[in-house]
Amino acid sequence: SQELEQSPQSLIVQEGKNLTINCTSSKTLYGLYWYKQKYGEGLIFLMMLQKGGEEKSHEKITAKLDEKKQQSSLHITASQPSHAGIYLCGADIIDDYKLSFGAGTTVTVRA
Amino acid sequence: SAVISQKPSRDICQRGTSLTIQCQVDSQVTMMFWYRQQPGQSLTLIATANQGSEATYESGFVIDKFPISRPNLTFSTLTVSNMSPEDSSIYLCSVRGFLEGYNEQFFGPGTRLTVL
């Protein structure tokens, strides 16, 4: 089983609507990373969260890490076609600097 | 952020041959990793490339199949040896531990390998 559970597996949103992706672990995380991937390409770094309760925003994307450092959410406001892609959460589950990854969430934005 | 380049970006290879993938970073980093992403799957860590010593392999991956070199703090290679169609994947170089101090982990653009 995956050490990181990502949900939903996929979602389709109308352009202009908001969306939220969740990433959950049964263990306390040392660090949580969000990436975006276009099909067949490399990963684009979005944000890194390390402290319980931390929240970061960049343009229309906000990521939060809960106080217990076991769950993170990625929220996109007023989605655009450029937000389409696969979103992956990665985490330091043990303190060895090796990221484990969730299964990914495929986002489709319909005009 | 770091600029990471990988060569080749894609290749189609015959069964039984080998391919070496290069990864170059524009900053010195303490940690370099190689990941594999099989079609429709998430990322799996192959190994950590250690400068000046043998790479550290994850369970299920061995040096004979995936030899790795790391001659300095900005460059690494991964060889996929004696390839079979099951090796068809995207191979991604990743870096972390910048000497400038920040701790983000970045990925290269990937090498898309198809084995016939």
Side-chain angles (χ1 to χ4, degrees):
Chain A
S1 63
Q2 300 257 187
E3 292 182 295
L4 286 177
E5 296 290 334
Q6 231 182 291
S7 63
Q9 184 177 358
S10 64
L11 61 93
I12 301 171
V13 295
Q14 200 69 31
E15 184 177 356
K17 297 295 185 183
N18 303 337
L19 67 95
T20 300
I21 301 167
N22 294 299
C23 181
T24 303
S25 172
S26 59
K27 301 176 183 177
T28 299
L29 304 174
Y30 287 88
L32 191 291
Y33 296 71
W34 284 101
Y35 296 90
K36 179 185 174 185
Q37 184 179 32
K38 292 283 191 181
Y39 177 74
E41 299 180 4
L43 276 65
I44 300 167
F45 173 83
L46 296 176
M47 273 171 268
M48 177 182 75
L49 304 165
Q50 290 186 299
K51 300 175 184 175
E54 188 174 9
E55 179 175 322
K56 289 187 177 178
S57 294
H58 177 68
E59 297 180 344
K60 295 186 178 183
I61 301 176
T62 300
K64 301 178 185 179
L65 182 62
D66 74 337
E67 289 289 343
K68 294 170 76 174
K69 294 171 64 176
Q70 290 182 290
Q71 184 171 5
S72 178
S73 61
L74 185 80
H75 184 77
I76 299 177
T77 304
S79 59
Q80 300 168 352
S82 61
H83 290 126
I86 301 168
Y87 289 81
L88 288 152
C89 65
D92 292 314
I93 295 181
I94 59 175
D95 194 14
D96 67 353
Y97 302 105
K98 299 178 185 177
L99 292 187
S100 297
F101 281 88
T105 297
T106 301
V107 172
T108 303
V109 180
R110 289 224 170 118
Chain B
S1 67
V3 176
I4 306 169
S5 61
Q6 281 185 237
K7 288 189 210 179
S9 59
R10 58 178 61 216
D11 207 342
I12 301 173
C13 300
Q14 295 297 320
R15 180 195 298 260
T17 62
S18 298
L19 176 72
T20 295
I21 302 167
Q22 298 179 0
C23 177
Q24 179 77 54
V25 194
D26 68 343
S27 305
Q28 291 185 316
V29 292
T30 56
M31 289 172 275
M32 294 183 80
F33 306 95
W34 287 98
Y35 285 81
R36 180 174 75 181
Q37 187 178 32
Q38 294 178 300
Q41 303 292 316
S42 190
L43 278 73
T44 301
L45 180 62
I46 297 172
T48 303
N50 301 310
Q51 191 211 354
S53 65
E54 195 170 284
T56 305
Y57 290 85
E58 298 301 305
S59 176
F61 298 96
V62 295
I63 187 171
D64 290 345
K65 176 68 177 177
F66 296 102
I68 288 170
S69 78
R70 188 172 173 199
N72 56 49
L73 293 179
T74 62
F75 185 80
S76 177
T77 67
L78 168 76
T79 299
V80 186
S81 303
N82 188 25
M83 288 184 284
S84 67
E86 292 71 35
D87 294 319
S88 298
S89 293
I90 299 172
Y91 291 86
L92 294 146
C93 169
S94 183
V95 303
R96 187 168 176 174
F98 293 84
L99 296 190
E100 290 90 342
Y102 47 97
N103 198 35
E104 287 87 346
Q105 182 158 342
F106 298 105
F107 284 79
T111 295
R112 192 164 190 175
L113 171 62
T114 302
V115 184
L116 303 177

